Amino acid sequence: VATGAVSTATPARASVKTRARIVIAGGGLGGIAVANRLSRLLDGAKITLVDAKEEHNYQPGYTLVATGVWPVEKVRDRNADFLPAGVQWVKEAVTEFDPEANRITTASGRQVAYDYLVVATGVQLDFAQIEGMDVGAIGSNGLASVYPSPQAAQATWAAMQAYVQTGGQALMTLPATPLKCAGAPLKMTFMLRDRLQQAGMLENSRIAFQSALGNVFGVKVVNDNVLQRWQALGIGVEFNHRLAAIDIGARRATFATPEGETVEQPYDFIHVVPPMRACDAVKNSPLAWQDGPFAAGGWLEVDKTTLQHRRYPNVFGIGDVNGTPRGKTAATVKKSAPIVAHNLVQAIAGRAPDEAFDGYTSCPLITREGSAMLIEFDYEGRLTPSLPLIEPLQESYFAWLMKYRMLKPAYLAVLKGRV
């Protein structure tokens, strides 16, 4: 996950007077970034943010915590520190969306009416699709997963440290669903090998990457580059192997193939990447895609360029929940938050949305400690490098430095609506 290059643009001042009631569902990067922007762009609007989570997590830093580069404190902040003055915060989860009646329902049964809605609920990690998986067991018995929380990232580092002392068989997994930070499973693989090398345990170890797809990354030039690197590093790859079940105590994983066969594999270390989907409140609502490739995950049905809902024009989506061809990274939010805020203001003013999102996504792909590739691309899978110093498919210390030192300050500027 990345926030992309740092920008110093100053958001426009309040331009539209309105009494509109705006509800933002979700208090992650997307929801808070849009709240900050709208509070500046609108004069008199009633903005309500709905999210039970009080801790704000810098998720792009999870891979750094999980590989021993950062302490866990660096990914933990408080949402209260970033919300603009005047925004009402309802500290509950949204349990139901009713776009026909223009209202949401929260966990306590409270109903909040809106004139405009921004859906920023992120993804649901669907560990339930893996039989036997227990998120609470991460860190023990060689079980790792960087995604669920700062605690899971920290526990993953503990599991990795234990594994690199002894070596053995490592299994790295990738599900078939869209996922946030599609580069994270690759970074974890590169860094696991690097830690084995540092511990002098490479000869005693085997790393096998198990992909449920026919590739390891959705952009072909990146996919081919990574596979080439892994071949040179001795990392094996199996395609069309979906993690279906896990026996944590016995350290055995069961993979399913498209032909319906199952393959059991023992391991000493396994990195579990869960299938991902929209949360139940979105998935079970009229806001979700009803057909097409995004319907199965219940993703939000937005126009991929304006990020306005295709059937409910007073609804917009931002971030991981959007059912769009690419873009589940912090960099996606950096590029799209100004567009969503602008297009929503246009709608309030009775004008058509006139700013377009190109699907910009960025991934600083760590290849070893002290080296990374900064990969940026759009909806079409075209590489869109923004920094002249960095060649996208070449590893460099500068790309590592960006990931390690520069991207969190850039992320916080996005969160505060400043870039």
Side-chain angles (χ1 to χ4, degrees):
V1 185
T3 44
V6 182
S7 160
T8 54
T10 306
R13 294 282 157 220
S15 57
V16 174
K17 285 190 184 298
T18 178
R19 307 295 295 164
R21 298 165 302 169
I22 301 167
V23 166
I24 300 171
L29 176 62
I32 294 179
V34 168
N36 274 299
R37 287 181 168 276
L38 290 177
S39 69
R40 289 197 195 103
L41 291 169
L42 298 171
D43 180 5
K46 183 188 177 189
I47 302 172
T48 305
L49 185 122
V50 187
D51 195 327
K53 199 163 189 263
E54 298 202 35
E55 182 169 295
H56 189 90
N57 297 130
Y58 175 63
Q59 295 183 49
Y62 284 8
T63 49
L64 295 175
V65 173
T67 55
V69 178
W70 271 11
V72 71
E73 294 76 31
K74 288 197 76 165
V75 299
R76 306 180 80 163
D77 292 290
R78 294 180 338 125
N79 271 340
D81 294 339
F82 305 110
L83 280 177
V87 168
Q88 184 187 8
W89 180 10
V90 176
K91 295 181 183 179
E92 294 186 58
V94 178
T95 53
E96 194 179 331
F97 290 94
D98 186 350
E100 298 293 342
N102 291 320
R103 68 181 177 219
I104 59 145
T105 305
T106 68
S108 69
R110 175 177 175 179
Q111 295 189 333
V112 184
Y114 62 80
D115 301 305
Y116 296 89
L117 171 69
V118 178
V119 183
T121 48
V123 301
Q124 175 81 34
L125 302 178
D126 205 358
F127 282 105
Q129 285 194 40
I130 304 165
E131 188 185 333
M133 179 60 190
D134 176 9
V135 172
I138 293 168
S140 62
N141 282 306
L143 180 65
S145 182
V146 73
Y147 279 97
S149 64
Q151 296 88 332
Q154 192 175 28
T156 290
W157 172 229
M160 188 181 290
Q161 283 178 291
Y163 166 69
V164 300
Q165 299 310 309
T166 57
Q169 176 70 61
L171 300 178
M172 313 301 282
T173 70
L174 184 73
T177 63
L179 66 156
K180 62 177 173 181
C181 191
L186 314 186
K187 296 175 208 180
M188 293 299 293
T189 304
F190 276 117
M191 280 298 287
L192 180 67
R193 188 201 180 274
D194 193 45
R195 294 303 187 203
L196 283 167
Q197 185 169 32
Q198 290 173 1
M201 295 302 289
L202 267 181
E203 285 187 10
N204 299 11
S205 309
R206 292 175 310 282
I207 303 174
F209 191 91
Q210 309 282 331
S211 171
L213 302 163
N215 57 42
V216 299
F217 199 79
V219 177
K220 188 178 187 313
V221 287
V222 178
N223 177 72
D224 295 350
N225 181 289
V226 169
L227 290 176
Q228 203 173 2
R229 288 173 184 274
W230 282 357
Q231 191 170 11
L233 294 172
I235 296 168
V237 182
E238 293 268 10
F239 297 111
N240 301 308
H241 275 55
R242 176 181 60 82
L243 180 62
I246 188 167
D247 184 330
I248 296 167
R251 298 198 190 199
R252 295 189 71 81
T254 303
F255 294 89
T257 70
E259 295 77 38
E261 297 169 356
T262 57
V263 181
E264 270 202 11
Q265 287 191 254
Y267 61 83
D268 299 291
F269 177 91
I270 187 169
H271 183 248
V272 176
V273 180
M276 299 185 198
R277 60 174 175 83
C279 65
D280 289 340
V282 173
K283 192 175 193 292
N284 300 332
S285 79
L287 295 173
W289 280 94
Q290 306 300 301
D291 49 45
F294 302 112
W299 304 105
L300 189 72
E301 186 182 340
V302 293
D303 179 279
K304 70 176 187 176
T305 55
T306 64
L307 304 179
Q308 183 179 36
H309 199 279
R310 287 160 40 101
R311 288 175 285 113
Y312 299 98
N314 63 334
V315 177
F316 289 79
I318 187 163
D320 298 348
V321 71
N322 282 346
T324 52
R326 297 186 199 280
K328 298 195 189 302
T329 68
T332 309
V333 173
K334 174 188 185 291
K335 186 81 180 280
S336 58
I339 294 170
V340 169
H342 171 85
N343 286 344
L344 195 153
V345 171
Q346 287 288 99
I348 289 172
R351 298 187 290 262
D354 61 357
E355 283 195 3
F357 179 53
D358 63 1
Y360 175 79
T361 307
S362 169
C363 175
L365 195 54
I366 299 166
T367 52
R368 57 189 166 83
E369 190 168 19
S371 194
M373 298 185 285
L374 182 63
I375 295 158
E376 302 165 280
F377 50 93
D378 62 13
Y379 277 140
E380 306 304 318
R382 292 178 297 231
L383 295 181
T384 56
S386 63
L387 295 168
L389 293 173
I390 297 184
E391 181 65 37
L393 297 175
Q394 286 180 10
E395 50 184 316
S396 70
Y397 177 69
F398 184 65
W400 164 266
L401 204 61
M402 276 197 70
K403 173 70 176 170
Y404 179 64
R405 285 194 186 276
M406 297 160 68
L407 290 185
K408 185 168 184 191
Y411 173 101
L412 293 177
V414 174
L415 193 64
K416 295 168 185 173
R418 291 179 183 160
V419 296

